[in-house]
Amino acid sequence: MQKKIKGTNDILPGFLGEGVFVSEFWQKIEEEILNIAGLYSYREIRTPIFENTEVFVKGIGDTSDIVTKEMYTFSDRGDRSMTLRPEGTASIVRSYIENSIMKKEPISRFFYGGPMFRAERPQKGRYRQFHQFGVECIGGDSAKYDIEVISLFWILLSRLGLKDMELVINSVGNTQSRAVYLDKLKIYFKDKLDGMCKECKDRYEKNILRMLDCKVDGCQDILNAVPSIIDSLSQESKDFFNGVKDGLENLGIPYIISNRLVRGLDYYTETAFEIIHGGIGAQSTIVGGGRYNDLILQSGGNSVPAVGAAFGIERLLLALLDEGVISPVDNEPFYFIVLLDKEMEADAQKILYDLRLEGIPSTESDGSRNMAKQLKLADKSGARFAVFIGGDEWTASSVMLKDLKTSKQNEISFKDSDPLSVLTSFFKETDK
Ligand code: ATP
Ligand code: MG
């Protein structure tokens, strides 16, 4: 038997799938995503699933976890190095520059969604193909855009019904103030490294800021006493961070500050933030984002400030299911055709087609001739009414309907009209 690749998932309809991997839950989230994007006037951007490897190496940073160990990189037939996208921002920045979008509008507000690929150790909430929804607000250097992005996610999660959520913010400063801080970290960790994990030792050499993100128990005491980045910030960065805090307070969005929040991508400047949820174990970060004022310049464009964020749909669903606040979208049919007379197969097919043409969700059985079996399937389908085609009532010009919720039967005559008109009017008159 062929098996799916480790760390990937089949998302199946509700009666076949379970938990996070039920397509009607995904549709619910996608519906809310389109709603919130509309509310905030963000427009969709779709970039290719794979790009030249350089797009990600330059964009995400060659010392980041993603680039050093998580990318799916391969050579194509012309021996060019390609990579399946591990995140969205680098591709969007590539597209922004390539399409000269900065010449077309001062502020661009984009949203995107789709599969991302990272070679990580699969576990609950962490997969090799996962799905993100994200937004980018490109062109504005004011803290009000940071607030806009944060509040968009805050409202989205609130509208979905999530309660246990916490916004965590920090500032990682700009290049200059970060350099000052990195020197402080070098001094602080120098004589403590022996007692730290292998990864911390490695990061000390390659990307010292990322040491703050270590989750290993034995390192926590040392990490908790680390000098705060805020003290090293330039006055400008401090003012900017205060602007973000004031903006959040103005909207009434609660936050906590964590000086250890540095995020996994190298491109952040100034604001970094996460929204976390308590109930889903180790993978508690649902949304991650921040400002990236240097990325567009570094990627070959003009100096254009920007801020963005993204969440993993699987993780959000884990959180919503943990709180029991999500219900699947309703894809259930209104009519289920039960064929009582094999001779009327063609009539039944025509009625089914006409119902669909009228925009009335309808389905039929698997061709089984036994009425009891057909009704069982009708129940399973979630349909509201079974429509019996054939039989004595039909011969006497009336259609029998069975309410599948109450089991009440209902006979409607089509003597003065036709079955389709009767079924169409009944659909319109019934409370959905
Ligand atoms: P983590 O610290 O959990 O590895 P990250 O810093 O790599 O997260 P980002 O690259 O900022 O995360 O991605 C934003 C969001 O995308 C995460 O908060 C999470 O919801 C989701 N995400 C990231 N990696 C995965 C994955 N491998 N599987 C499922 N969801 C993921
Ligand atoms: Mg990661």
Side-chain angles (χ1 to χ4, degrees):
M1 186 176 52
Q2 302 274 12
K3 294 214 159 152
K4 62 181 159 54
I5 293 170
K6 198 170 144 195
T8 67
N9 298 288
D10 295 319
I11 299 157
L12 302 170
F15 63 99
L16 298 170
E18 56 183 316
V20 168
F21 305 110
V22 166
S23 51
E24 288 87 354
F25 287 137
W26 287 67
Q27 290 166 356
K28 180 78 185 179
I29 304 242
E30 282 155 8
E31 198 177 275
E32 285 297 339
I33 283 172
L34 290 178
N35 286 341
I36 197 79
L39 269 178
Y40 271 77
S41 289
Y42 276 61
R43 309 270 178 248
E44 187 174 22
I45 180 167
R46 297 191 193 205
T47 59
I49 299 275
F50 66 128
E51 299 266 359
N52 290 313
T53 300
E54 208 188 69
V55 168
F56 302 116
V57 175
K58 271 204 172 156
I60 301 169
D62 51 14
T63 57
S64 64
D65 285 354
I66 292 182
V67 170
T68 53
K69 45 190 190 196
E70 295 173 0
M71 293 206 306
Y72 280 104
T73 297
F74 59 95
S75 296
D76 75 351
R77 286 168 191 270
D79 245 356
R80 288 167 291 246
S81 179
M82 316 254 145
T83 296
L84 297 182
R85 65 179 186 193
E87 57 105 59
T89 305
S91 311
I92 291 170
V93 164
R94 193 263 314 133
S95 173
Y96 181 85
I97 298 169
E98 192 172 345
N99 293 297
S100 303
I101 296 177
M102 62 277 209
K103 291 197 197 127
K104 296 171 186 157
E105 53 180 5
I107 304 285
S108 295
R109 294 178 165 94
F110 293 126
F111 78 89
Y112 63 91
M116 305 292 165
F117 305 86
R118 296 186 195 176
E120 303 195 69
R121 193 169 67 78
Q123 50 199 291
K124 187 179 170 196
R126 193 176 290 285
Y127 312 98
R128 292 186 170 168
Q129 175 173 328
F130 63 101
H131 299 78
Q132 276 186 343
F133 160 75
V135 308
E136 312 291 352
C137 179
I138 308 177
D141 62 3
S142 150
K144 77 174 180 185
Y145 299 109
D146 305 49
I147 307 293
E148 176 176 298
V149 167
I150 294 173
S151 72
L152 182 153
F153 284 93
W154 193 258
I155 296 188
L156 174 61
L157 300 190
S158 309
R159 283 168 66 113
L160 280 163
L162 197 68
K163 286 184 192 72
D164 173 7
M165 55 178 182
E166 198 160 58
L167 169 64
V168 187
I169 60 169
N170 190 24
S171 173
V172 293
N174 54 25
T175 322
Q176 292 98 311
S177 55
R178 192 150 58 224
V180 175
Y181 184 59
L182 298 186
D183 286 340
K184 275 195 197 164
L185 285 183
K186 279 212 174 91
I187 296 164
Y188 174 77
F189 285 124
K190 198 167 192 274
D191 58 358
K192 299 178 183 67
L193 263 189
D194 280 346
M196 300 188 79
C197 72
K198 191 185 160 296
E199 183 134 45
C200 278
K201 289 183 181 128
D202 217 37
R203 284 174 168 170
Y204 183 82
E205 302 299 336
K206 293 192 188 128
N207 189 349
I208 194 165
L209 194 63
R210 295 282 298 139
M211 286 178 77
L212 305 189
D213 204 35
C214 174
K215 309 272 183 328
V216 174
D217 283 345
C219 300
Q220 297 311 306
D221 284 346
I222 297 174
L223 288 168
N224 285 334
V226 85
S228 161
I229 190 165
I230 309 280
D231 301 331
S232 303
L233 295 183
S234 64
Q235 193 54 45
E236 220 184 335
S237 289
K238 274 185 190 149
D239 290 344
F240 191 86
F241 191 47
N242 285 332
V244 173
K245 291 189 283 184
D246 291 346
L248 289 171
E249 277 153 36
N250 182 38
L251 303 189
I253 298 176
Y255 62 85
I256 59 168
I257 297 172
S258 165
N259 296 324
R260 277 181 55 188
L261 177 70
V262 289
R263 311 284 309 118
L265 307 156
D266 288 357
Y267 52 61
Y268 287 118
T269 54
E270 312 295 352
T271 320
F273 76 91
E274 290 185 346
I275 300 177
I276 57 177
H277 179 273
I280 51 175
Q283 269 57 250
S284 62
T285 304
I286 302 177
V287 183
R291 180 162 273 283
Y292 51 95
N293 286 343
D294 301 333
L295 180 58
I296 296 173
L297 184 65
Q298 275 165 24
S299 304
N302 293 358
S303 175
V304 182
V307 53
F311 67 74
I313 294 186
E314 291 86 348
R315 269 193 219 177
L316 173 58
L317 269 174
L318 275 171
L320 292 167
L321 289 170
D322 173 66
E323 289 192 12
V325 292
I326 185 162
S327 49
V329 294
D330 182 8
N331 281 336
E332 288 164 352
F334 188 77
Y335 288 131
F336 188 102
I337 304 286
V338 174
L339 186 62
L340 299 181
D341 179 356
K342 185 82 184 125
E343 304 279 291
M344 294 201 61
E345 173 92 58
D347 300 86
Q349 289 306 311
K350 180 72 166 82
I351 289 175
L352 190 54
Y353 174 76
D354 287 340
L355 285 170
R356 289 165 171 168
L357 206 56
E358 289 292 328
I360 303 172
S362 306
T363 188
E364 61 172 342
S365 83
D366 61 352
S368 147
R369 254 178 290 168
N370 173 324
M371 183 171 86
K373 265 193 196 160
Q374 292 190 57
L375 277 174
K376 217 180 215 168
L377 281 168
D379 268 329
K380 213 171 156 192
S381 78
R384 272 302 308 279
F385 290 91
V387 180
F388 296 91
I389 293 192
D392 295 343
E393 287 85 1
W394 194 275
T395 318
S397 294
S398 63
V399 54
M400 280 296 291
L401 295 175
K402 181 179 179 194
D403 187 324
L404 294 167
K405 271 192 199 149
T406 62
S407 291
K408 270 196 197 130
Q409 308 256 27
N410 196 352
E411 188 177 338
I412 313 177
S413 163
F414 57 79
K415 237 181 215 130
D416 302 326
S417 59
D418 59 275
L420 179 67
S421 313
V422 164
L423 291 172
T424 306
S425 317
F426 183 78
F427 171 76
K428 286 185 183 144
E429 288 155 15
T430 306
D431 250 353
K432 303 293 170 327

mmCIF file of all heavy atoms in Angstrom, residues 284-321:
data_model
loop_
_atom_site.group_PDB
_atom_site.id
_atom_site.type_symbol
_atom_site.label_atom_id
_atom_site.label_comp_id
_atom_site.label_asym_id
_atom_site.label_seq_id
_atom_site.Cartn_x
_atom_site.Cartn_y
_atom_site.Cartn_z
ATOM 1 N N SER A 284 2.757 26.019 21.150
ATOM 2 C CA SER A 284 1.705 26.909 21.633
ATOM 3 C C SER A 284 1.584 28.205 20.824
ATOM 4 O O SER A 284 0.621 28.929 20.972
ATOM 5 C CB SER A 284 1.942 27.245 23.102
ATOM 6 O OG SER A 284 3.168 27.907 23.215
ATOM 7 N N THR A 285 2.568 28.492 19.968
ATOM 8 C CA THR A 285 2.478 29.722 19.181
ATOM 9 C C THR A 285 1.550 29.514 18.002
ATOM 10 O O THR A 285 1.786 28.665 17.159
ATOM 11 C CB THR A 285 3.867 30.142 18.654
ATOM 12 O OG1 THR A 285 4.736 30.272 19.757
ATOM 13 C CG2 THR A 285 3.780 31.473 17.925
ATOM 14 N N ILE A 286 0.494 30.322 17.967
ATOM 15 C CA ILE A 286 -0.423 30.205 16.828
ATOM 16 C C ILE A 286 -0.003 31.202 15.755
ATOM 17 O O ILE A 286 0.225 30.838 14.619
ATOM 18 C CB ILE A 286 -1.880 30.485 17.255
ATOM 19 C CG1 ILE A 286 -2.299 29.513 18.356
ATOM 20 C CG2 ILE A 286 -2.800 30.334 16.050
ATOM 21 C CD1 ILE A 286 -3.702 29.795 18.875
ATOM 22 N N VAL A 287 0.092 32.475 16.152
ATOM 23 C CA VAL A 287 0.434 33.530 15.186
ATOM 24 C C VAL A 287 1.831 34.063 15.492
ATOM 25 O O VAL A 287 2.177 34.256 16.654
ATOM 26 C CB VAL A 287 -0.554 34.720 15.303
ATOM 27 C CG1 VAL A 287 -0.242 35.781 14.248
ATOM 28 C CG2 VAL A 287 -1.999 34.256 15.183
ATOM 29 N N GLY A 288 2.609 34.304 14.449
ATOM 30 C CA GLY A 288 3.917 34.928 14.646
ATOM 31 C C GLY A 288 4.130 36.011 13.607
ATOM 32 O O GLY A 288 3.712 35.855 12.451
ATOM 33 N N GLY A 289 4.729 37.109 14.021
ATOM 34 C CA GLY A 289 4.967 38.145 13.020
ATOM 35 C C GLY A 289 5.822 39.264 13.542
ATOM 36 O O GLY A 289 6.348 39.200 14.664
ATOM 37 N N GLY A 290 5.958 40.290 12.738
ATOM 38 C CA GLY A 290 6.752 41.431 13.148
ATOM 39 C C GLY A 290 7.045 42.344 11.977
ATOM 40 O O GLY A 290 6.536 42.163 10.873
ATOM 41 N N ARG A 291 7.875 43.333 12.282
ATOM 42 C CA ARG A 291 8.216 44.346 11.285
ATOM 43 C C ARG A 291 9.495 43.924 10.582
ATOM 44 O O ARG A 291 10.367 43.288 11.182
ATOM 45 C CB ARG A 291 8.377 45.684 12.018
ATOM 46 C CG ARG A 291 8.728 46.871 11.166
ATOM 47 C CD ARG A 291 8.434 48.180 11.883
ATOM 48 N NE ARG A 291 7.044 48.577 11.659
ATOM 49 C CZ ARG A 291 6.598 49.123 10.515
ATOM 50 N NH1 ARG A 291 7.424 49.326 9.486
ATOM 51 N NH2 ARG A 291 5.329 49.450 10.393
ATOM 52 N N TYR A 292 9.588 44.237 9.299
ATOM 53 C CA TYR A 292 10.822 43.921 8.561
ATOM 54 C C TYR A 292 11.194 45.088 7.646
ATOM 55 O O TYR A 292 10.910 45.112 6.471
ATOM 56 C CB TYR A 292 10.696 42.597 7.803
ATOM 57 C CG TYR A 292 9.486 42.426 6.910
ATOM 58 C CD1 TYR A 292 9.554 42.719 5.551
ATOM 59 C CD2 TYR A 292 8.271 41.962 7.403
ATOM 60 C CE1 TYR A 292 8.457 42.563 4.720
ATOM 61 C CE2 TYR A 292 7.160 41.812 6.580
ATOM 62 C CZ TYR A 292 7.267 42.121 5.242
ATOM 63 O OH TYR A 292 6.173 41.974 4.418
ATOM 64 N N ASN A 293 11.862 46.075 8.246
ATOM 65 C CA ASN A 293 12.149 47.316 7.524
ATOM 66 C C ASN A 293 13.287 47.200 6.522
ATOM 67 O O ASN A 293 13.417 48.043 5.639
ATOM 68 C CB ASN A 293 12.467 48.436 8.522
ATOM 69 C CG ASN A 293 11.206 48.927 9.232
ATOM 70 O OD1 ASN A 293 10.095 48.669 8.779
ATOM 71 N ND2 ASN A 293 11.389 49.629 10.346
ATOM 72 N N ASP A 294 14.141 46.184 6.674
ATOM 73 C CA ASP A 294 15.323 46.100 5.804
ATOM 74 C C ASP A 294 15.207 45.046 4.714
ATOM 75 O O ASP A 294 16.035 44.968 3.819
ATOM 76 C CB ASP A 294 16.571 45.769 6.653
ATOM 77 C CG ASP A 294 16.804 46.818 7.729
ATOM 78 O OD1 ASP A 294 16.379 47.977 7.517
ATOM 79 O OD2 ASP A 294 17.386 46.476 8.773
ATOM 80 N N LEU A 295 14.179 44.205 4.802
ATOM 81 C CA LEU A 295 14.139 43.029 3.924
ATOM 82 C C LEU A 295 14.038 43.385 2.444
ATOM 83 O O LEU A 295 14.695 42.779 1.599
ATOM 84 C CB LEU A 295 12.968 42.127 4.345
ATOM 85 C CG LEU A 295 12.795 40.858 3.524
ATOM 86 C CD1 LEU A 295 14.046 39.994 3.552
ATOM 87 C CD2 LEU A 295 11.597 40.046 4.020
ATOM 88 N N ILE A 296 13.230 44.384 2.130
ATOM 89 C CA ILE A 296 13.018 44.696 0.711
ATOM 90 C C ILE A 296 14.299 45.272 0.094
ATOM 91 O O ILE A 296 14.696 44.897 -1.009
ATOM 92 C CB ILE A 296 11.783 45.616 0.558
ATOM 93 C CG1 ILE A 296 10.548 44.822 1.045
ATOM 94 C CG2 ILE A 296 11.612 46.101 -0.884
ATOM 95 C CD1 ILE A 296 9.263 45.605 1.122
ATOM 96 N N LEU A 297 14.968 46.104 0.883
ATOM 97 C CA LEU A 297 16.257 46.650 0.426
ATOM 98 C C LEU A 297 17.270 45.503 0.247
ATOM 99 O O LEU A 297 17.927 45.381 -0.778
ATOM 100 C CB LEU A 297 16.765 47.673 1.438
ATOM 101 C CG LEU A 297 18.059 48.406 1.077
ATOM 102 C CD1 LEU A 297 17.865 49.283 -0.158
ATOM 103 C CD2 LEU A 297 18.544 49.273 2.245
ATOM 104 N N GLN A 298 17.354 44.641 1.261
ATOM 105 C CA GLN A 298 18.304 43.520 1.196
ATOM 106 C C GLN A 298 18.005 42.569 0.036
ATOM 107 O O GLN A 298 18.883 41.877 -0.454
ATOM 108 C CB GLN A 298 18.226 42.693 2.486
ATOM 109 C CG GLN A 298 19.079 43.230 3.607
ATOM 110 C CD GLN A 298 18.706 42.611 4.944
ATOM 111 O OE1 GLN A 298 18.143 41.504 4.987
ATOM 112 N NE2 GLN A 298 19.006 43.289 6.027
ATOM 113 N N SER A 299 16.751 42.533 -0.372
ATOM 114 C CA SER A 299 16.380 41.594 -1.437
ATOM 115 C C SER A 299 16.497 42.238 -2.810
ATOM 116 O O SER A 299 16.042 41.675 -3.805
ATOM 117 C CB SER A 299 14.947 41.096 -1.217
ATOM 118 O OG SER A 299 14.823 40.523 0.062
ATOM 119 N N GLY A 300 17.052 43.448 -2.870
ATOM 120 C CA GLY A 300 17.296 44.068 -4.177
ATOM 121 C C GLY A 300 16.305 45.156 -4.546
ATOM 122 O O GLY A 300 16.335 45.661 -5.670
ATOM 123 N N GLY A 301 15.412 45.514 -3.631
ATOM 124 C CA GLY A 301 14.441 46.578 -3.923
ATOM 125 C C GLY A 301 14.865 47.893 -3.289
ATOM 126 O O GLY A 301 16.009 48.043 -2.848
ATOM 127 N N ASN A 302 13.945 48.844 -3.245
ATOM 128 C CA ASN A 302 14.213 50.106 -2.554
ATOM 129 C C ASN A 302 14.101 49.885 -1.050
ATOM 130 O O ASN A 302 13.721 48.813 -0.605
ATOM 131 C CB ASN A 302 13.172 51.149 -2.958
ATOM 132 C CG ASN A 302 13.308 51.531 -4.421
ATOM 133 O OD1 ASN A 302 14.202 51.040 -5.117
ATOM 134 N ND2 ASN A 302 12.422 52.384 -4.878
ATOM 135 N N SER A 303 14.396 50.935 -0.290
ATOM 136 C CA SER A 303 14.221 50.829 1.153
ATOM 137 C C SER A 303 12.742 51.061 1.472
ATOM 138 O O SER A 303 12.270 52.183 1.493
ATOM 139 C CB SER A 303 15.096 51.865 1.842
ATOM 140 O OG SER A 303 14.832 51.825 3.219
ATOM 141 N N VAL A 304 12.004 49.978 1.678
ATOM 142 C CA VAL A 304 10.566 50.070 1.929
ATOM 143 C C VAL A 304 10.253 49.336 3.235
ATOM 144 O O VAL A 304 10.518 48.148 3.353
ATOM 145 C CB VAL A 304 9.748 49.416 0.774
ATOM 146 C CG1 VAL A 304 8.257 49.559 1.030
ATOM 147 C CG2 VAL A 304 10.114 50.010 -0.563
ATOM 148 N N PRO A 305 9.720 50.062 4.227
ATOM 149 C CA PRO A 305 9.399 49.406 5.501
ATOM 150 C C PRO A 305 8.146 48.540 5.371
ATOM 151 O O PRO A 305 7.304 48.796 4.515
ATOM 152 C CB PRO A 305 9.128 50.583 6.432
ATOM 153 C CG PRO A 305 8.654 51.675 5.532
ATOM 154 C CD PRO A 305 9.352 51.490 4.212
ATOM 155 N N ALA A 306 8.035 47.519 6.222
ATOM 156 C CA ALA A 306 6.869 46.637 6.121
ATOM 157 C C ALA A 306 6.660 45.891 7.430
ATOM 158 O O ALA A 306 7.553 45.828 8.277
ATOM 159 C CB ALA A 306 7.068 45.636 4.994
ATOM 160 N N VAL A 307 5.461 45.368 7.588
ATOM 161 C CA VAL A 307 5.147 44.558 8.769
ATOM 162 C C VAL A 307 4.178 43.466 8.331
ATOM 163 O O VAL A 307 3.355 43.666 7.442
ATOM 164 C CB VAL A 307 4.571 45.447 9.910
ATOM 165 C CG1 VAL A 307 3.390 46.281 9.455
ATOM 166 C CG2 VAL A 307 4.167 44.620 11.135
ATOM 167 N N GLY A 308 4.330 42.281 8.951
ATOM 168 C CA GLY A 308 3.457 41.178 8.547
ATOM 169 C C GLY A 308 3.390 40.110 9.622
ATOM 170 O O GLY A 308 4.093 40.185 10.640
ATOM 171 N N ALA A 309 2.527 39.139 9.407
ATOM 172 C CA ALA A 309 2.388 38.035 10.362
ATOM 173 C C ALA A 309 1.670 36.881 9.683
ATOM 174 O O ALA A 309 1.051 37.060 8.633
ATOM 175 C CB ALA A 309 1.592 38.486 11.585
ATOM 176 N N ALA A 310 1.771 35.707 10.310
ATOM 177 C CA ALA A 310 1.110 34.532 9.737
ATOM 178 C C ALA A 310 0.742 33.557 10.838
ATOM 179 O O ALA A 310 1.323 33.583 11.933
ATOM 180 C CB ALA A 310 2.043 33.840 8.749
ATOM 181 N N PHE A 311 -0.251 32.719 10.559
ATOM 182 C CA PHE A 311 -0.493 31.609 11.483
ATOM 183 C C PHE A 311 -0.625 30.300 10.723
ATOM 184 O O PHE A 311 -0.878 30.285 9.519
ATOM 185 C CB PHE A 311 -1.723 31.852 12.371
ATOM 186 C CG PHE A 311 -3.056 31.864 11.653
ATOM 187 C CD1 PHE A 311 -3.635 30.695 11.186
ATOM 188 C CD2 PHE A 311 -3.745 33.056 11.499
ATOM 189 C CE1 PHE A 311 -4.869 30.711 10.562
ATOM 190 C CE2 PHE A 311 -4.977 33.089 10.863
ATOM 191 C CZ PHE A 311 -5.544 31.907 10.387
ATOM 192 N N GLY A 312 -0.411 29.215 11.465
ATOM 193 C CA GLY A 312 -0.588 27.889 10.910
ATOM 194 C C GLY A 312 -2.045 27.481 11.124
ATOM 195 O O GLY A 312 -2.549 27.544 12.245
ATOM 196 N N ILE A 313 -2.704 27.094 10.041
ATOM 197 C CA ILE A 313 -4.121 26.713 10.159
ATOM 198 C C ILE A 313 -4.273 25.491 11.071
ATOM 199 O O ILE A 313 -5.183 25.418 11.894
ATOM 200 C CB ILE A 313 -4.720 26.465 8.758
ATOM 201 C CG1 ILE A 313 -4.740 27.799 7.997
ATOM 202 C CG2 ILE A 313 -6.128 25.868 8.845
ATOM 203 C CD1 ILE A 313 -5.426 27.776 6.666
ATOM 204 N N GLU A 314 -3.346 24.527 10.957
ATOM 205 C CA GLU A 314 -3.455 23.322 11.795
ATOM 206 C C GLU A 314 -3.402 23.696 13.280
ATOM 207 O O GLU A 314 -4.170 23.190 14.087
ATOM 208 C CB GLU A 314 -2.311 22.343 11.497
ATOM 209 C CG GLU A 314 -2.374 21.677 10.125
ATOM 210 C CD GLU A 314 -1.717 22.501 9.007
ATOM 211 O OE1 GLU A 314 -1.410 23.699 9.248
ATOM 212 O OE2 GLU A 314 -1.529 21.958 7.907
ATOM 213 N N ARG A 315 -2.468 24.590 13.610
ATOM 214 C CA ARG A 315 -2.320 24.975 15.033
ATOM 215 C C ARG A 315 -3.530 25.738 15.529
ATOM 216 O O ARG A 315 -3.970 25.548 16.658
ATOM 217 C CB ARG A 315 -1.075 25.816 15.220
ATOM 218 C CG ARG A 315 0.085 24.919 15.555
ATOM 219 C CD ARG A 315 1.248 25.713 16.050
ATOM 220 N NE ARG A 315 2.431 25.087 15.483
ATOM 221 C CZ ARG A 315 3.646 25.529 15.636
ATOM 222 N NH1 ARG A 315 3.851 26.631 16.330
ATOM 223 N NH2 ARG A 315 4.654 24.894 15.114
ATOM 224 N N LEU A 316 -4.050 26.597 14.690
ATOM 225 C CA LEU A 316 -5.243 27.346 15.097
ATOM 226 C C LEU A 316 -6.397 26.373 15.327
ATOM 227 O O LEU A 316 -7.120 26.472 16.323
ATOM 228 C CB LEU A 316 -5.615 28.376 14.032
ATOM 229 C CG LEU A 316 -6.926 29.110 14.265
ATOM 230 C CD1 LEU A 316 -6.915 29.842 15.603
ATOM 231 C CD2 LEU A 316 -7.215 30.101 13.148
ATOM 232 N N LEU A 317 -6.532 25.397 14.438
ATOM 233 C CA LEU A 317 -7.614 24.422 14.600
ATOM 234 C C LEU A 317 -7.439 23.593 15.866
ATOM 235 O O LEU A 317 -8.409 23.309 16.575
ATOM 236 C CB LEU A 317 -7.663 23.493 13.383
ATOM 237 C CG LEU A 317 -8.582 23.961 12.265
ATOM 238 C CD1 LEU A 317 -8.463 23.066 11.051
ATOM 239 C CD2 LEU A 317 -10.030 23.975 12.758
ATOM 240 N N LEU A 318 -6.195 23.228 16.161
ATOM 241 C CA LEU A 318 -5.939 22.482 17.409
ATOM 242 C C LEU A 318 -6.452 23.289 18.599
ATOM 243 O O LEU A 318 -7.107 22.752 19.496
ATOM 244 C CB LEU A 318 -4.439 22.238 17.586
ATOM 245 C CG LEU A 318 -3.830 21.019 16.901
ATOM 246 C CD1 LEU A 318 -2.315 21.061 17.001
ATOM 247 C CD2 LEU A 318 -4.368 19.728 17.532
ATOM 248 N N ALA A 319 -6.151 24.591 18.579
ATOM 249 C CA ALA A 319 -6.564 25.449 19.687
ATOM 250 C C ALA A 319 -8.090 25.567 19.740
ATOM 251 O O ALA A 319 -8.690 25.480 20.816
ATOM 252 C CB ALA A 319 -5.932 26.830 19.538
ATOM 253 N N LEU A 320 -8.725 25.756 18.584
ATOM 254 C CA LEU A 320 -10.186 25.925 18.555
ATOM 255 C C LEU A 320 -10.885 24.627 18.975
ATOM 256 O O LEU A 320 -11.894 24.652 19.682
ATOM 257 C CB LEU A 320 -10.640 26.345 17.157
ATOM 258 C CG LEU A 320 -10.200 27.749 16.705
ATOM 259 C CD1 LEU A 320 -10.435 27.943 15.212
ATOM 260 C CD2 LEU A 320 -10.936 28.831 17.484
ATOM 261 N N LEU A 321 -10.319 23.499 18.564
ATOM 262 C CA LEU A 321 -10.921 22.212 18.953
ATOM 263 C C LEU A 321 -10.701 21.963 20.441
ATOM 264 O O LEU A 321 -11.564 21.427 21.133
ATOM 265 C CB LEU A 321 -10.340 21.062 18.119
ATOM 266 C CG LEU A 321 -10.788 21.049 16.648
ATOM 267 C CD1 LEU A 321 -9.977 20.038 15.836
ATOM 268 C CD2 LEU A 321 -12.272 20.739 16.528
#
